[in-house]
Amino acid sequence: MPQTPNFLVINGPNLNRLGRRDPKLYGSTTLADVEKALRGRAGELGAAVTFFQSNHEGAIVDFIQENAGAASGVIINAGALTQVGYSILDALLDSGLPVVEVHISNIHAREEFRRHSVIAPFARGQIAGLGWRGYLFALEYLASETGQAGKASRTR
Ligand code: CA2
């Protein structure tokens, strides 16, 4: 019996505030709503998700190190650590897992500093500007890749 694929869903600094302010930019869906929607969709896809949010870079590194071994892929919105989070990038590379970077807002249509990502060049892809559903699309992608390619999909 094949194991249920588990995907890590990681959110960085300030994303615990999702749905609480700036609805024009980030919508009114809370992170708890996103988690619920992803759990539901993962169940339909025969997968599972492990959700994590932290405002601290080291805590995100710890989470990746502790959970990558039993995971099939990573969905990450590193928030403002996207631009500078080299230790997160190193942990992701060390995991060998396929990574999809998600941004709720279109970072390419905002301030210049938000466009740069240290993670994106090493990710399978980046989804930006599609609102909270970007996480759902990332899950669909990883679930289909894992289903089709199995272990071969662990590397980039
Ligand atoms: O668009 C995204 O998902 C971002 O990753 C969100 C980050 C921001 O630093 C990135 O440039 C783009 C976090 C922004 C602040 O988080 C809040 C979200 C909702 C409400 C309040 C804060």
Side-chain angles (χ1 to χ4, degrees), residues 64-123:
I64 295 167
Q65 288 183 2
E66 285 160 18
N67 292 277
S72 300
V74 180
I75 298 167
I76 185 162
N77 181 349
L81 291 172
T82 300
Q83 295 101 46
V84 294
Y86 289 104
S87 67
I88 293 175
L89 171 64
D90 280 342
L92 290 171
L93 290 174
D94 183 47
S95 77
L97 293 169
V99 174
V100 178
E101 179 174 313
V102 171
H103 296 284
I104 295 160
S105 64
N106 183 354
I107 54 170
H108 303 286
R110 300 181 63 193
E111 301 97 321
E112 176 74 33
F113 78 90
R114 293 188 197 274
R115 295 181 195 171
H116 178 67
S117 168
V118 299
I119 298 166
F122 301 94

Side-chain angles (χ1 to χ4, degrees), residues 29-89:
T29 304
T30 66
L31 204 57
D33 295 333
V34 176
E35 179 171 357
K36 197 173 166 194
L38 260 71
R39 278 194 198 292
R41 187 66 188 122
E44 291 168 3
L45 294 166
V49 288
T50 302
F51 234 76
F52 182 72
Q53 189 278 330
S54 178
N55 294 328
H56 306 280
E57 183 168 355
I60 294 172
V61 172
D62 287 344
F63 176 80
I64 295 167
Q65 288 183 2
E66 285 160 18
N67 292 277
S72 300
V74 180
I75 298 167
I76 185 162
N77 181 349
L81 291 172
T82 300
Q83 295 101 46
V84 294
Y86 289 104
S87 67
I88 293 175
L89 171 64

Side-chain angles (χ1 to χ4, degrees), residues 122-135:
F122 301 94
R124 291 291 183 94
Q126 182 192 66
I127 298 170
L130 304 185
W132 71 268
R133 287 182 186 81
Y135 294 94

